[in-house]
Amino acid sequence: MLNEKVVALLNQQVNKEFYSAYLYLEISNFYDSISLDGFANWFMIQAQEERDHAMLFYRYLLNNGIKVQLEAIDKPDKVFADKKAPLAATLEHEMYVTSLINDIYAAAYEARDFRSMQFLDWFVKEQGEEEKNANDLIAKMELFGDDAKSLYMLNSELAARVYSAPSLVL
Ligand code: FEO
């Protein structure tokens, strides 16, 4: 049996990851609306990855005999002032998700729940990548975003991103 507090946090994370997917779908939607289709593609794939994350938590709970409680997903409430704003919002959101993963890890550590700690290891590493990706996008937009030709190239680079399934298999 998994620890009750760890289960509650893992269950909450299913919802948080679906919210992340919803937020990135909204960002993709925003970039489509200003004709930056490469950025829209990048965030559409990001939304797919977040759905995968949600399903990994979901599957982990089921595999441990826990029935998942599905809760309402919040409406993405951000209004983006310009093409840079969603990138700052992404970094801020990923840092928040990192704090959530750390909280679950701390609860699992406290409960000597080594199985959940091992499961969460993948997410600890993944959050490092997510924050780096967000920082890289901000840096590229700062460098190239104000020049039309450079922005066109950056948009083309992001258009080339393709979906790949998560490396963690349960
Ligand atoms: Fe599910 Fe963007 O981390």
Side-chain angles (χ1 to χ4, degrees):
M1 278 297 288
L2 297 184
N3 172 273
E4 202 176 318
K5 184 179 174 193
V6 176
V7 166
L9 291 172
L10 288 167
N11 199 110
Q12 175 184 265
Q13 197 62 27
V14 174
N15 184 273
K16 298 287 185 184
E17 298 290 344
F18 276 125
Y19 174 78
S20 298
Y22 220 36
L23 174 63
Y24 295 142
L25 189 59
E26 176 65 3
I27 292 177
S28 180
N29 191 21
F30 169 79
Y31 280 123
D32 259 322
S33 77
I34 59 169
S35 301
L36 284 172
D37 58 348
F39 284 77
N41 172 66
W42 199 94
F43 277 97
M44 180 65 78
I45 290 168
Q46 197 61 25
Q48 271 179 282
E49 283 197 357
E50 299 298 354
R51 287 197 297 273
D52 289 338
H53 295 172
M55 293 310 294
L56 286 167
F57 282 98
Y58 176 93
R59 176 52 56 192
Y60 179 74
L61 286 165
L62 287 187
N63 284 357
N64 282 280
I66 312 285
K67 182 176 183 298
V68 179
Q69 300 289 323
L70 293 174
E71 305 290 347
I73 301 165
D74 289 342
K75 177 180 175 178
D77 57 354
K78 305 247 189 249
V79 177
F80 303 117
D82 56 32
K83 62 185 181 299
K84 295 181 181 178
L87 306 180
T90 296
L91 178 60
E92 184 188 349
H93 184 68
E94 287 302 333
M95 289 169 68
Y96 168 62
V97 174
T98 297
S99 77
L100 295 174
I101 299 292
N102 288 348
D103 287 347
I104 311 172
Y105 206 103
Y109 178 79
E110 181 92 1
R112 293 176 58 82
D113 179 354
F114 303 115
R115 186 188 308 162
S116 294
M117 286 165 66
Q118 194 171 55
F119 165 71
L120 289 165
D121 279 340
W122 186 87
F123 286 93
V124 171
K125 184 161 177 278
E126 174 73 7
Q127 282 312 120
E129 287 173 18
E130 297 279 60
E131 287 184 26
K132 181 181 185 306
N133 288 341
N135 270 313
D136 286 353
L137 280 181
I138 289 169
K140 285 180 181 178
M141 184 65 99
E142 288 296 333
L143 281 169
F144 310 123
D146 295 328
D147 173 71
K149 276 187 196 164
S150 302
L151 180 62
Y152 179 83
M153 298 285 284
L154 179 55
N155 187 61
S156 301
E157 179 190 320
L158 299 184
R161 184 183 185 188
V162 292
Y163 169 75
S164 65
S167 55
L168 178 63
V169 178
L170 296 180

